[in-house]
Amino acid sequence: MWLYVVAVLLGLLLLRRWHRERQTVPRLWEKHVLITGCDSGFGNLLARQLDARGLRVLAACLTEAGAAQLRAATSSRLQTVLLDVTSSKSIAHVTAWVRERVGDQGGTGAAPAHPIPSPGLWGLVNNAGIAIPTAPNEWLTKEDFVKVLDVNLVGLVEVTLSLLPLVRRARGRVVNVASVMGRVSCFGGGYCISKFGVEAFSDSLRLEMHRFGVKVCVIEPGYFKTMITNVENLEKNFYASWEKLPEEIKASYGENYLREFVALLKVLQKSFNSNLSLVTNCMEHALTSLHPRTRYSAGWDAKLLYLPLSYLPSALSDALFTFFYPKSVGKA
């Protein structure tokens, strides 16, 4: 009897959640959304996806070639701008550029007969990111860590702080792209550290923005086939890091460690998901739903492997990851 009651209540809760999540923000055609990292991957696909839905996309690209390619594939509504998230000057320029387009009273939109002001910037999607340099921590330098952190974390923070007044005015959304590697850290370098930082920054910002009506969402993709996970680039990076090592460290790990590391990466590549829309659909929902989720997990590896692992005792998750790790020579 009790199991029947619990099952009914659970079903009603799921039905209520389904109904709430299907409710859409009104007048999407007047909403401005800035997306960083639109040259390729998730950012590029999201820009095209939101443009097709009628939103006013402001696509920030690192290169003019990336911007031109995106403009050629989208409508005249979409506008591009060059942005280097590691440059305060570039971020200030883009902030002024965005302010010109949304204005203190926002754009008038493009509703056929009754244009309605859209104050501020409705959405900010912090998508720009890199993974290289990455390698076992001992193979890297401080500069290697800083290079990744400057893009994935410090740049994300500065872009957010610069545009937050415009987002707050719109009572809009901040969507930060973290990763399952912001839940579990199983390889060295700045990437996992940066994604843990994105999670922490997003949590504190969500609390601070609650009374302003701004919602902060985190996207936690699993492994997808993008430039970040490009195996050829990662392999070159591993060998470049190895070549710079002192002989003492090389002797401690052994060349077989390097070969096994690269071989493991190639095995993992076979499981990378090529359906990037699984991620961009989460981003779109975060921007367009009246009741967005706080966190979105994209990909079955995220849902069924990495997130459950993040809740295990460290001893168990360590044992699992260590089993698959390459074996070093082990000399002190």
Side-chain angles (χ1 to χ4, degrees), residues 98-109:
V98 171
R99 191 180 296 276
E100 286 177 4
R101 275 138 190 86
V102 304
D104 288 339
Q105 294 302 315
T108 58

Side-chain angles (χ1 to χ4, degrees), residues 183-194:
R183 294 292 195 101
V184 292
S185 183
C186 58
F187 56 84
Y191 187 80
C192 295
I193 298 170
S194 69

Side-chain angles (χ1 to χ4, degrees), residues 51-315:
D51 177 65
R53 191 159 178 183
L55 280 80
R56 297 179 172 274
V57 178
L58 306 175
C61 299
L62 181 61
T63 66
E64 179 54 45
Q69 179 270 334
L70 184 57
R71 287 194 301 270
T74 52
S75 76
S76 58
R77 281 189 310 273
L78 183 140
Q79 300 179 66
T80 60
V81 64
L82 297 185
L83 171 63
D84 176 358
V85 299
T86 66
S87 165
S88 296
K89 182 178 179 181
S90 180
I91 292 171
H93 166 75
V94 169
T95 301
W97 180 85
V98 171
R99 191 180 296 276
E100 286 177 4
R101 275 138 190 86
V102 304
D104 288 339
Q105 294 302 315
T108 58
H114 304 288
I116 303 171
S118 173
L121 178 65
W122 171 254
L124 167 62
V125 182
N126 284 305
N127 166 73
I130 61 173
I132 293 174
T134 182
N137 289 307
E138 195 177 10
W139 297 12
L140 301 171
T141 65
K142 172 187 172 182
E143 288 71 26
D144 292 329
F145 284 88
V146 169
K147 182 178 180 180
V148 177
L149 291 168
D150 273 350
V151 175
N152 294 5
L153 181 58
V154 179
L156 178 149
V157 170
E158 187 173 3
V159 169
T160 303
L161 297 181
S162 297
L163 291 165
L164 197 56
L166 292 175
V167 178
R168 187 160 36 78
R169 188 171 295 135
R171 298 173 66 86
R173 309 284 167 82
V174 177
V175 180
N176 290 331
V177 180
S179 168
V180 288
M181 294 298 108
R183 294 292 195 101
V184 292
S185 183
C186 58
F187 56 84
Y191 187 80
C192 295
I193 298 170
S194 69
K195 295 306 182 180
F196 269 81
V198 170
E199 297 271 359
F201 174 66
S202 301
D203 285 347
S204 61
L205 186 67
R206 184 178 65 254
L207 296 174
E208 294 165 356
M209 290 293 105
H210 177 73
R211 294 194 181 277
F212 293 104
V214 174
K215 293 181 170 62
V216 180
C217 306
V218 181
I219 312 295
E220 299 173 334
Y223 278 96
F224 285 81
K225 195 172 292 185
T226 67
M227 288 303 296
I228 281 184
T229 57
N230 182 276
V231 171
E232 288 74 19
N233 292 340
L234 289 169
E235 185 176 352
K236 290 177 184 176
N237 150 80
F238 288 140
Y239 280 107
S241 297
W242 174 263
E243 292 302 321
K244 295 176 185 177
L245 292 177
E247 290 302 320
E248 178 188 359
I249 295 179
K250 286 184 178 180
S252 295
Y253 284 85
E255 287 197 22
N256 194 53
Y257 186 98
L258 173 63
R259 288 192 291 270
E260 287 185 19
F261 212 102
V262 172
L264 177 62
L265 182 66
K266 290 180 178 179
V267 170
L268 289 174
Q269 181 189 23
K270 297 176 182 178
S271 66
F272 291 174
N273 198 323
S274 60
N275 185 8
L276 304 190
S277 64
L278 293 176
V279 178
T280 57
N281 288 345
C282 292
M283 296 171 170
E284 181 179 341
H285 187 271
L287 291 164
T288 62
S289 173
L290 270 178
H291 306 285
R293 302 179 188 179
T294 300
R295 281 178 166 80
Y296 292 83
S297 300
W300 288 112
D301 58 339
K303 292 179 173 68
L304 300 181
L305 177 60
Y306 293 107
L307 291 185
L309 274 174
S310 72
Y311 292 106
L312 289 179
S314 295

